[in-house]
Amino acid sequence: MTIPDVARHAGVGQATAARVLGGYGSASAATRERVLAAAAELGYSTNAVARSMISGRTDTLGVVVADVENAYFARAVRGIADVAAKAGLQAILANSDEDSEKEKAAVQLFIERRVDGLVVAPAATDDEHLARAVSAGIPVVLLDRVLTGAALDTVVVDNRGAVKAAVTRFTEAGHTRIAVITSAMPGDDGTRLAPGADIWTTTERVAGYRQALRAAGIPRSAELIRHTGYERAWARSAVLELMTSRDRPTALFTTDNVATLGTLDALLDLDARIPDDVSVIGFDDAEWTTLIRPRLSVVSQPVQELGGLAADILIRRISGAAARPRRHTLNTTYIARESTGPVPARTRRLRAPAECP
Amino acid sequence: MTIPDVARHAGVGQATAARVLGGYGSASAATRERVLAAAAELGYSTNAVARSMISGRTDTLGVVVADVENAYFARAVRGIADVAAKAGLQAILANSDEDSEKEKAAVQLFIERRVDGLVVAPAATDDEHLARAVSAGIPVVLLDRVLTGAALDTVVVDNRGAVKAAVTRFTEAGHTRIAVITSAMPGDDGTRLAPGADIWTTTERVAGYRQALRAAGIPRSAELIRHTGYERAWARSAVLELMTSRDRPTALFTTDNVATLGTLDALLDLDARIPDDVSVIGFDDAEWTTLIRPRLSVVSQPVQELGGLAADILIRRISGAAARPRRHTLNTTYIARESTGPVPARTRRLRAPAECP
DNA sequence: GAGCGCGTTGGTAACGTTATCAATCCTGCC
DNA sequence: GGCAGGATTGATAACGTTACCAACGCGCTC
């Protein structure tokens, strides 16, 4: 069922039927009614593909995140989809799994689909693929992560400052053995990153940790920085090892969801008492942080707003806003709960559980 | 940059350039090379919109769920997107918020977009909008929920059986005061559903609960069925009220994520000891269920497989499979952890915390 | 040497909409 | 009564690709 069909059935010209059905131009009340009636009778539905063909717009946004299953990205996607829907756009989703090749392939597909805009949480460290999108006339907004050197709108939080402030609470409470656990992919040893695994967010958070230590005059020690990879179980075993080592840390900062989960797994397995044996602060609040005892203190970020703002900027760009791309930094909040305390007088020996293979 | 441009630049006919770039038909190695070189030089990228225009396929799936932010749907969407991506399709996402009007609007949009297939977790109780999609040649697969009377492929778990089995563990342990908490919208009192809020999944789970009671010869009592609405805080206050009432339940079954979260909030606020004061089983395992003490016993469902299977069926339909639509039921697993125990000898009086406004 | 078949090539129609422009109708006014 | 001017109408081009078909050249066979 196409416009010519409806036009014939209503006894009007194609162009007239098209105007009524497309809601543009003018038509008399009488013809409008006849066309609408004919359309209803024939079960006509607009072909958005043909419309996009000529209008040049597809009313879609491409969204590339690491993994929707991750609560952080799920919330961000929700924020994007909500704002997009309000503007009549829909979101097409792609998961990169932090793999820059997958990300590039997804972006290429989005360019071919002629999406109206692109929200990307970049795993890649270069922006060639994104520049291609921009030069194809597709505005791009970066989410969660800055890409240095790329002239793109970017929506982030002040990761470095937030972590510095949080870790400073540790140092002010007297902690000097403070470890940081991330779920970035480790290189040879766990204290360095695998090539290509330098996600901006993680790097910034570790930098904030370093700044806090330096400000407190605490010498840095490499073995307290643990990159554990994107599986919860890997974070668990890294922390298990860390916490049973000689001169173990008395405070842990986890830079993300997965690291936090694995870290708590380990502490539970070790029967470590929080905060008596070890203090913990996590990055990013989750639905379960008030369900555990003690409740987990966290750095909370406005994730859904982050996504919403990204979509908002994109929509403005799509409708022609030409301002210089800039970085938008949203505020984080430190939520003090009960997982932090003073340095234990004597560090109790923790025993790793027997591992079952 | 279009095919005619590339053709001109390469000094070949349009059709020849089109064949090389579209990867169909035949072309000599020499011309292929020339065309590809010209395309690269001009920065040509296929226009998928134009391709869809004539091929009739858009290589997209429409996905309608209640809310991606909900871990259940996030996992399902991930399953769908993975299988789709493997087949060269991308997923367009729409959130219905359990609102059947939003769902219908989203489906209509998807029809206009000419998506190749549709995965829907229906909030609506009729299937008129879905029938429209089918008659427009778009195959539809239902996810998580059955729509009685609709001849559509459906991917679900045996909710009734799973809940019956779980609740039977309560009855076998001697519990007789067993409550069920759902996050369906309540009607006038909390024990009935609001009009239009009868989501199949919830109804089935409550039916399973009823069957288990009947099988154990326990008379049903309406005040033990609580529909609390889709906000965690609402589940909390309902449980607060329930657990401080006379003759309170000694076992709680929560039918979903949100209800489980709110229920645990309430029990924590009441200082209720699990399972000494009250036993708890939840539906659907979450990442935090092993993080709380005692660990939460749950009915676990293969959510990602559910989504993957839905996408799989859809893809088969798209490539022409004509078998009669049927229901696919995946298995759930009961995971026994530590949140269940025998009936307390004497029910300890629980005190509601002072509410702060 | 003519004919046949196959790989290659190019011209052109088609997909279903919106955009453009000219033609027509109607109304109000001088 | 004639005419200006706006509202309404319809024919047709255009978007960029794939589908279709005819034409060409080459090697091979009879």
Side-chain angles (χ1 to χ4, degrees):
Chain A
M1 284 306 134
T2 68
I3 285 185
D5 295 324
V6 175
R8 228 183 337 269
H9 197 257
V12 300
Q14 283 192 32
T16 304
R19 271 190 296 265
V20 172
L21 296 170
Y24 60 96
S26 70
S28 70
T31 44
R32 171 168 297 118
E33 198 161 333
R34 264 202 303 164
V35 171
L36 257 23
E41 199 167 331
L42 267 56
Y44 169 83
S45 103
T46 306
N47 184 328
V49 177
R51 172 176 293 169
S52 296
M53 184 80 207
I54 130 99
S55 71
R57 299 182 311 110
T58 54
D59 297 318
T60 51
L61 296 185
V63 178
V64 186
V65 295
D67 178 16
V68 243
E69 217 176 322
N70 182 318
Y72 174 85
F73 292 115
R75 279 182 286 162
V77 167
R78 178 72 216 235
I80 295 168
D82 279 0
V83 171
K86 211 158 287 173
L89 308 185
Q90 288 187 309
I92 310 183
L93 188 70
N95 299 106
S96 74
D97 289 316
E98 304 290 11
D99 175 345
S100 59
E101 290 312 310
K102 279 195 197 175
E103 173 184 321
K104 284 169 188 175
V107 168
Q108 178 59 30
L109 255 180
F110 283 139
I111 294 175
E112 295 180 358
R113 275 194 203 296
R114 302 292 191 261
V115 295
D116 293 338
L118 222 35
V119 179
V120 181
T125 49
D126 66 291
D127 70 329
E128 202 192 326
H129 53 309
L130 302 175
R132 250 203 310 274
V134 170
S135 70
I138 301 174
V140 175
V141 174
L142 260 31
L143 179 72
D144 183 52
R145 303 161 186 187
V146 166
L147 222 45
T148 37
L152 295 170
D153 286 300
T154 306
V155 179
V156 291
V157 297
D158 175 18
N159 290 284
R160 193 189 297 217
V163 173
K164 186 183 176 190
V167 172
T168 297
R169 304 203 168 226
F170 282 150
T171 62
E172 283 177 349
H175 291 275
T176 55
R177 301 282 301 163
I178 304 168
V180 60
I181 321 293
T182 91
S183 65
M185 276 309 282
D188 301 341
D189 60 353
T191 70
R192 272 168 208 284
L193 285 168
D198 42 341
I199 308 280
W200 181 81
T201 314
T202 304
T203 315
E204 282 293 299
R205 291 175 193 172
V206 172
Y209 158 83
R210 288 221 174 92
Q211 284 189 357
L213 293 203
R214 186 165 29 217
I218 300 170
R220 61 206 271 178
S221 84
E223 85 273 10
L224 291 179
I225 298 178
R226 299 290 172 125
H227 301 295
T228 64
Y230 48 80
E231 293 230 349
R232 172 177 176 168
W234 299 343
R236 175 180 165 275
S237 23
V239 172
L240 236 34
E241 192 247 302
L242 180 67
M243 293 299 291
T244 51
S245 66
R246 226 177 46 78
D247 205 13
R248 65 167 168 80
T250 61
L252 301 177
F253 188 86
T254 57
T255 62
D256 58 88
N257 243 322
V258 175
T260 307
L261 253 6
T263 297
L264 292 177
D265 284 340
L267 296 182
L268 247 13
D269 286 344
L270 290 165
D271 259 323
R273 285 180 308 238
I274 305 173
D276 299 341
D277 288 325
V278 58
S279 289
V280 182
I281 297 177
F283 203 106
D284 198 21
D285 204 9
E287 55 186 17
W288 51 264
T289 51
T290 55
L291 238 40
I292 62 171
R293 286 295 111 98
R295 295 180 188 86
L296 186 69
S297 299
V298 295
V299 176
S300 164
Q301 43 180 349
V303 187
Q304 203 166 322
E305 283 87 335
L306 239 49
L309 180 57
D312 209 57
I313 293 169
L314 211 41
I315 287 164
R316 261 201 287 274
R317 289 269 178 223
I318 291 169
S319 43
R324 249 183 73 215
R326 69 184 201 82
R327 189 186 301 186
H328 302 255
T329 305
L330 267 51
N331 288 327
T332 57
T333 324
Y334 177 73
I335 302 181
R337 292 199 271 244
E338 304 108 31
S339 63
T340 61
V343 183
R346 238 180 98 234
T347 56
R348 190 166 69 95
R349 173 76 179 275
L350 297 173
R351 296 271 285 281
E355 293 280 347
C356 357
Chain B
M1 284 306 136
T2 68
I3 285 184
D5 295 324
V6 174
R8 229 183 336 271
H9 197 257
V12 300
Q14 284 192 30
T16 304
R19 272 191 296 266
V20 172
L21 296 170
Y24 60 95
S26 69
S28 70
T31 43
R32 170 169 298 117
E33 198 161 333
R34 264 201 304 163
V35 170
L36 257 23
E41 200 167 331
L42 268 57
Y44 169 84
S45 103
T46 306
N47 184 327
V49 177
R51 172 175 293 171
S52 295
M53 183 79 206
I54 130 101
S55 71
R57 298 182 312 109
T58 54
D59 297 318
T60 52
L61 295 185
V63 178
V64 186
V65 296
D67 178 15
V68 244
E69 217 176 322
N70 182 316
Y72 173 84
F73 292 116
R75 278 181 286 162
V77 167
R78 178 73 216 235
I80 294 168
D82 281 359
V83 171
K86 210 158 286 171
L89 308 184
Q90 287 187 311
I92 310 184
L93 188 70
N95 299 107
S96 74
D97 288 316
E98 305 289 12
D99 174 344
S100 58
E101 290 313 309
K102 278 196 198 174
E103 173 184 320
K104 285 170 187 175
V107 168
Q108 179 58 30
L109 255 181
F110 283 140
I111 294 175
E112 295 179 0
R113 277 195 200 298
R114 303 291 191 263
V115 295
D116 293 339
L118 221 36
V119 180
V120 181
T125 49
D126 66 291
D127 70 329
E128 203 193 325
H129 53 311
L130 302 175
R132 249 203 310 275
V134 170
S135 70
I138 302 174
V140 175
V141 174
L142 259 31
L143 180 71
D144 183 52
R145 304 161 186 186
V146 166
L147 222 44
T148 38
L152 295 169
D153 286 299
T154 306
V155 180
V156 290
V157 297
D158 175 17
N159 290 284
R160 194 189 296 217
V163 173
K164 184 183 177 188
V167 172
T168 297
R169 302 203 169 226
F170 282 150
T171 62
E172 282 175 351
H175 291 274
T176 55
R177 301 281 302 164
I178 305 168
V180 61
I181 321 292
T182 90
S183 64
M185 276 309 283
D188 300 339
D189 59 353
T191 68
R192 272 168 209 284
L193 286 169
D198 42 339
I199 308 280
W200 180 81
T201 315
T202 305
T203 314
E204 283 293 299
R205 291 176 192 171
V206 171
Y209 159 83
R210 287 222 174 93
Q211 285 189 356
L213 293 204
R214 188 167 25 219
I218 299 171
R220 62 206 270 177
S221 82
E223 84 274 9
L224 291 179
I225 299 179
R226 298 289 171 124
H227 301 296
T228 65
Y230 49 80
E231 293 230 348
R232 172 176 176 171
W234 299 343
R236 174 179 165 277
S237 24
V239 172
L240 236 34
E241 192 247 300
L242 180 67
M243 292 301 290
T244 52
S245 66
R246 224 175 50 76
D247 206 13
R248 65 168 168 78
T250 61
L252 301 177
F253 187 87
T254 57
T255 61
D256 57 89
N257 244 320
V258 175
T260 307
L261 253 6
T263 297
L264 293 176
D265 284 340
L267 296 182
L268 246 14
D269 286 344
L270 290 166
D271 260 323
R273 286 180 307 240
I274 305 173
D276 298 342
D277 289 325
V278 58
S279 290
V280 182
I281 297 177
F283 204 107
D284 198 19
D285 205 7
E287 56 187 14
W288 50 265
T289 51
T290 55
L291 237 41
I292 62 171
R293 285 295 112 97
R295 294 179 189 87
L296 186 69
S297 300
V298 295
V299 176
S300 163
Q301 43 180 349
V303 188
Q304 203 166 323
E305 283 87 335
L306 238 47
L309 180 57
D312 209 57
I313 292 169
L314 211 42
I315 287 163
R316 261 201 288 274
R317 289 271 178 218
I318 290 168
S319 44
R324 247 183 75 214
R326 68 183 201 82
R327 189 185 302 185
H328 302 255
T329 305
L330 267 51
N331 287 329
T332 58
T333 326
Y334 177 73
I335 303 181
R337 292 199 270 245
E338 303 109 31
S339 62
T340 61
V343 182
R346 235 180 101 234
T347 55
R348 188 166 70 96
R349 173 76 179 274
L350 298 174
R351 295 270 285 281
E355 293 282 345
C356 0

